[in-house]
Amino acid sequence: MRQRPFAISSVSVSELTLGTWGLSGDGYGPVSEQEQNRVILRARALGITGFETADIYAAGAMETRIGALLGADTEALIITKVGTDIGSQPPRKRFEPSWLRECIERSGARLKRNVLDMVLLHNPSVQTLRKGDATGLMRELHAGGRLRSWGVSAGSAEVAEAALDEKTPALQLAFNCLWASDFRRLQERMRETKTCVMARSVLAHGLLCGFWPGEKVFSETDHRSRRWTPDELKRRLHQLDAIRPLVRNEVNSLRSAALRWVLNHEDIATAVIGPRTVSQLDQLVRDIGSGPPYLPEDSLSGLEMRMQDFGAR
Ligand SMILES: NC(=O)c1ccc[n+]([C@@H]2O[C@H](COP(=O)([O-])OP(=O)(O)OC[C@H]3O[C@@H](n4cnc5c(N)ncnc54)[C@H](OP(=O)(O)O)[C@@H]3O)[C@@H](O)[C@H]2O)c1
């Protein structure tokens, strides 16, 4: 597994990071505990060193599982996220320093780590970031040695911009062939500030695998049942035709093309993948091939134009 520079000096991270939202059973539907363990251990065996989670995934159980399997593994970089109170009804975002401090204590205990590799503020608002006390706490914990690094998981370009104003060392953003505008808008600034950029949702929640029929129906426990209207989904599936020309020679699937397209951006530190089974994980690791280059230059020419023609830019 190839490595790229990370937000901690002299430390690199695997170009694929295992994200654990889907694996936790939240978001897409249940996954057995055995499969969760198998995926985490298989990822590590395949050379993955980045493991991404959140204190709320499976109400803390995913952090506990990662702590049990990887807490003592000094090569594993564990990235967790805080900023949601699931004890309140309905759950609410909370970023007061006293609450964040408690969350980070609990995460450290579950992950079996006194020093945490990276903690991200989990989808804060622009207003929260502008206030400065949440980022101030992160800086304080970093200076005190409790956090090796910190950052912000941003739900929009505006939030990412506010995080950069607060000099965040790391940003997590949705970034894929169909959703590139936030990254593009900030790319130059992130490069100048040497921000560690972690791309998530690199398969657009599975859409970029290109397997779904036009009438795809998701179960009620799957977040995708609420994400797209039937018309929106049809429009998105049609846009996949703009990407299909990338599938040739060793790039043997749309999924591979989509993953390689993300990794082809050298400003991305790591692509946070979301497999829910060992076989999905194995496929994704095979999909990235032996690059760079991940995609031949000539197959990229014309992609942006095609994306525009298909209304995806
Ligand atoms: N706000 C945040 O901080 C935030 C938000 C979103 C995600 N994340 C992190 O990023 C990770 C990835 O995000 P995501 O779930 O949006 O990722 P994604 O990679 O775009 O989509 C994941 C889905 O892709 C499908 N998939 C994965 N590997 C596959 C394979 N080999 N063949 C076919 N389908 C495959 C699976 O769908 P099926 O379930 O249909 O098999 C899986 O649920 C999450 O686990 C989480 O850790 C963070």
Side-chain angles (χ1 to χ4, degrees), residues 11 61 69 77 108 115 118 125 138 172 200 236 247 265:
V11 172
L69 297 174
L77 293 166
V115 176
M118 180 180 277
S125 63
M138 304 301 266
Q172 191 186 101
R200 64 171 167 81
R236 288 292 186 188
V247 182
H265 293 77

Side-chain angles (χ1 to χ4, degrees), residues 19-22 28 52 57 81 122-123 153 172 200-206 209 211 224 255 272-274 276 280 283-284:
T20 57
W21 177 44
Y28 295 85
E52 194 265 7
Y57 292 173
K81 308 192 284 294
H122 197 177
N123 293 348
S153 182
Q172 191 186 101
R200 64 171 167 81
S201 306
V202 291
L203 296 178
H205 314 299
C209 295
F211 295 148
R224 294 171 293 191
R255 189 184 60 218
V272 183
I273 52 171
R276 298 172 67 237
Q280 284 188 343
Q283 285 165 350
L284 295 171

Side-chain angles (χ1 to χ4, degrees), residues 27-30 216-226 276:
Y28 295 85
K216 174 82 176 165
V217 175
F218 300 99
S219 76
E220 260 182 42
T221 55
D222 188 323
H223 76 100
R224 294 171 293 191
S225 65
R226 296 174 293 282
R276 298 172 67 237

